[in-house]
Amino acid sequence: MAWGEVAALTEAAWKDEQIAIFRSQSPGGISPLVLSPSQRFVVAGDVWLSDRRPLATGIDTNHSLALSDLQWIAAAWERWGEATFTKLVGMFALAVWDRERQMLWLGRDRTGACTLYYTTSGSTRWVAPNLRSLIPYHAKELDLVALRDYLCCAFVPGPRTLWRQVRELRPGSVLSFPREQIRTYWQLQEKTISDDLEPGGGRPLEWHGQKLRTVLDQVVQECLPKQEPVGVFLSGGLDSSSVTALASKFHSEPVHTYSIHFGEACPNELEFSSLVAHHCGTNHHILEITFRQMWDQLPETMAYLDDPIGDPLTVPNLLVGRLAKESVRVVLNGEGGDPCFGGPKNQPMLLNQLYGAVTQQDSLQAYLLAFQKCASDLPQLLKPEIWKAVQHEPSVFSEDLDSSASYLNRLMALNIKFKGADQILTKVNNLTRAAGVQGRSPLFDQRIVELSMQIPPEYKLSGVQEKAVLKQAVADLLPEQILLRPKSGMMVPVQRGFRKYWQREAKALLLNRKAAIAPYLNQALIREWLNYRGDTWQRYGVKLWLLVSLEIWLQVNRK
C-alpha cells in the first residue's frame, strides 16, 4: 500500500512492512503527516477544520490550541477510532494507518471539497489526493461510461474517473484495508420540518429564513482567517453577494472582492458586483480576461484538474485566483447557493415533471438534457462501437432520481452529490490551490447542506420565485436590486470565442487524425459544429469548449 502525491517522490516520509506514505511538493504546499500521541496511528492528508469543538472531548493535552488540525485528528482517533470521521467539520481527505493492527482507513469529507483516488498496480495499491499523481501506476485506457457521462454533464460524476483502472472515494465515505470495504458515514437525506403552527401545516418562510441566517452567520465566521484580510469572489449574484455581506459584517480585517469580465463587447455583471462592493465597503478588484488568455491558459488549467471539467469558468477561476493571491491567502465564494436553495436551472426538470407524459421523456433523459451539453448528440457524436458499448449502461443518477423525496429535493440532492462534489468543489479546490490561495465555500458547508434539506421545497423554488429562503435570510444585508434581480449566471462568451477567435486552433486540435479523442468521437460531426452548421439554439460554443477541454486534458495527462 502506498499513499501520497507520487508525481515527484524522493523518499518515503513513513514506511513499514505494509505501507509507505510519501510527501511531495504540490501547488498547494506539502501534504503533512503526523503521529498520534501514543505513536500507534500515522495520519496524513489534506485537512481544514472549520469547527474543532466536536473533537474537544477527545483531546487530552495542555497545548491543544497549538495543535494543527491534523494533530487534533490524530489525538481524537485514539479515543474514537473510525467514528472520528463523524465528528469532523470542514474539508478533508485523510489516510489513517494503525501500526498495531496493520489497517488503513481512507476518509473524505461530507460534501467533497477534498478528493481521494485509488488504483492497483500488481500487488501494490496506490492512493493519492489528486488523480495525476497516480498516472505512473495505471494503464491509460479510458472508462467509456465515464466518457459518456462527461459528454452529457461536462464532468465525470460518481466513483468512476476517466481512467478505467482508477476510482474515486465518494464524499462521506470511508474505505478500509485490507478488508477493502467502503462504508458511508454520512448521507444526504430529506428531513423537511413540518408542524401545525401555520394553517398550511408548516412553519412560515420567516422562521426558516431566521434559522438559515443563524447557521450562515456561524459558518461564514468560521471561514474567516484570523487577523488577516480575506477575499471573496463576487459575481454580483445573490449567492456571492450574501457571502460578501456576511464577511464584511463579521471580519475586522480588510475584505477584498474580485470580479471578472471579458471585454466591452461582452455582457457582464460589473454593475451589480460594484454595487455590492460599494454597499459592503470592500476593496474591489476587477479583472478583464481576454479571449487569447482563455485559450492559452487552458492547457495549464487542465493540468491542475483531476478529471476533465468542461465548464468555461475553469480558466477564469485560475486567473482570478492569481489576482487574489496578490492580497489574500484565503478566498471565499458563493458556490452552493443554486444546488442548496433551488436555483433556476431546476426549472426545466420541474416542467418535465408536469409535462413529461406529453413529451414522452423519462426523468433520466430529461435530467441529462437539462445540462444542455451533448446528451442528445451521443448516438451521432460517439463512434458506433463506442455508443453500442455504453448505450445501456446504468446511470449513476438513477437512484436519486427515483427516490421517494420531493421532486425538487431529489434534483437538489443530485446537484449537491454530483455536480457539487465532482465539478464545483473539485474545481474550486484545485484551481485556488494552484493559484496559491485556499478556497472556502461556506454555502457548501455540511451544516448548510443539511439544513437545506429541512426547508420545504416551496421556500426554495416555486414557479419563477427562486431561493426565497436565502433572500429572506439576508434581506437586511443587501440592496434591493440584488434581492429582486433574476439570476443570470456568469456567462463566459465561448460562442463568440469559437466564431471569432479560436476556430483555427480548435480545428487543428479536434480534427487532427491523431487527436486523443479521434478513436472515440465522430470528427465529421465536430467539423459541422466548428463551421456552425445548424446551431439553432446557439449551443455549439459550449459543446466545443467541452470537447477542447477533454482533448487538452487527455494530451496533458498522457505525456
Side-chain angles (χ1 to χ4, degrees), residues 98 167 191 231 258 347 359 361 386:
D98 185 338
R167 287 294 180 264
K191 297 179 181 179
Y258 307 91
Q347 289 172 341
T359 62
Q361 284 187 359
I386 306 296

Side-chain angles (χ1 to χ4, degrees), residues 344-371 401-402 407-408 410-411 414 461:
K345 291 183 179 179
N346 292 292
Q347 289 172 341
M349 287 296 294
L350 295 175
L351 291 174
N352 178 73
Q353 183 193 28
L354 294 173
Y355 303 111
V358 177
T359 62
Q360 301 298 308
Q361 284 187 359
D362 62 31
S363 59
L364 176 60
Q365 181 186 19
Y367 184 71
L368 295 176
L369 290 175
F371 282 100
L401 278 172
D402 297 334
Y407 196 68
L408 178 60
R410 276 184 258 171
L411 300 180
L414 280 165
L461 180 64

Side-chain angles (χ1 to χ4, degrees), residues 271-291:
E271 171 190 355
F272 302 104
S273 61
S274 297
L275 172 64
V276 173
H278 178 75
H279 180 79
C280 297
T282 70
N283 299 317
H284 194 45
H285 310 260
I286 296 174
L287 176 66
E288 178 179 346
I289 298 175
T290 68
F291 287 94

Side-chain angles (χ1 to χ4, degrees), residues 86-99:
T86 66
K87 300 179 181 297
L88 300 182
V89 180
M91 310 185 297
F92 59 87
L94 294 171
V96 180
W97 174 246
D98 185 338
R99 298 169 65 192

Side-chain angles (χ1 to χ4, degrees), residues 314-484:
T314 51
V315 172
N317 283 162
L318 178 62
L319 297 180
V320 76
R322 286 176 173 163
L323 174 62
K325 177 65 168 61
E326 297 175 6
S327 46
V328 299
R329 294 194 300 173
V330 173
V331 63
L332 314 186
N333 61 70
E335 302 285 11
D338 279 357
C340 287
F341 301 111
K345 291 183 179 179
N346 292 292
Q347 289 172 341
M349 287 296 294
L350 295 175
L351 291 174
N352 178 73
Q353 183 193 28
L354 294 173
Y355 303 111
V358 177
T359 62
Q360 301 298 308
Q361 284 187 359
D362 62 31
S363 59
L364 176 60
Q365 181 186 19
Y367 184 71
L368 295 176
L369 290 175
F371 282 100
Q372 297 186 315
K373 300 301 189 293
C374 300
S376 62
D377 306 301
L378 290 182
Q380 296 79 38
L381 179 59
L382 289 169
K383 289 197 169 181
E385 64 275 16
I386 306 296
W387 175 237
K388 182 178 180 181
V390 303
Q391 181 178 5
H392 299 297
E393 288 292 321
S395 171
V396 72
F397 301 128
S398 295
E399 181 179 350
D400 287 284
L401 278 172
D402 297 334
S403 79
S404 59
S406 68
Y407 196 68
L408 178 60
N409 280 344
R410 276 184 258 171
L411 300 180
M412 290 172 55
L414 280 165
N415 290 337
I416 292 167
K417 290 172 62 175
F418 297 108
K419 187 173 183 179
D422 298 319
Q423 176 185 336
I424 297 172
L425 287 173
T426 184
K427 177 188 67 173
V428 167
N429 191 42
N430 284 22
L431 296 180
T432 53
R433 173 176 294 190
V437 294
Q438 184 185 58
R440 299 176 184 174
S441 306
L443 300 185
F444 261 125
D445 182 272
Q446 65 194 59
R447 292 158 292 184
I448 299 291
V449 169
E450 289 170 341
L451 180 60
S452 75
M453 285 293 163
Q454 300 174 14
I455 298 170
E458 62 267 24
Y459 294 154
K460 290 179 279 195
L461 180 64
S462 179
V464 296
Q465 173 69 6
E466 62 196 50
K467 304 180 189 175
V469 68
L470 180 57
K471 292 177 179 178
Q472 177 70 33
V474 298
D476 62 314
L477 296 175
L478 294 172
E480 191 175 62
Q481 299 97 307
I482 302 300
L483 294 169
L484 298 181

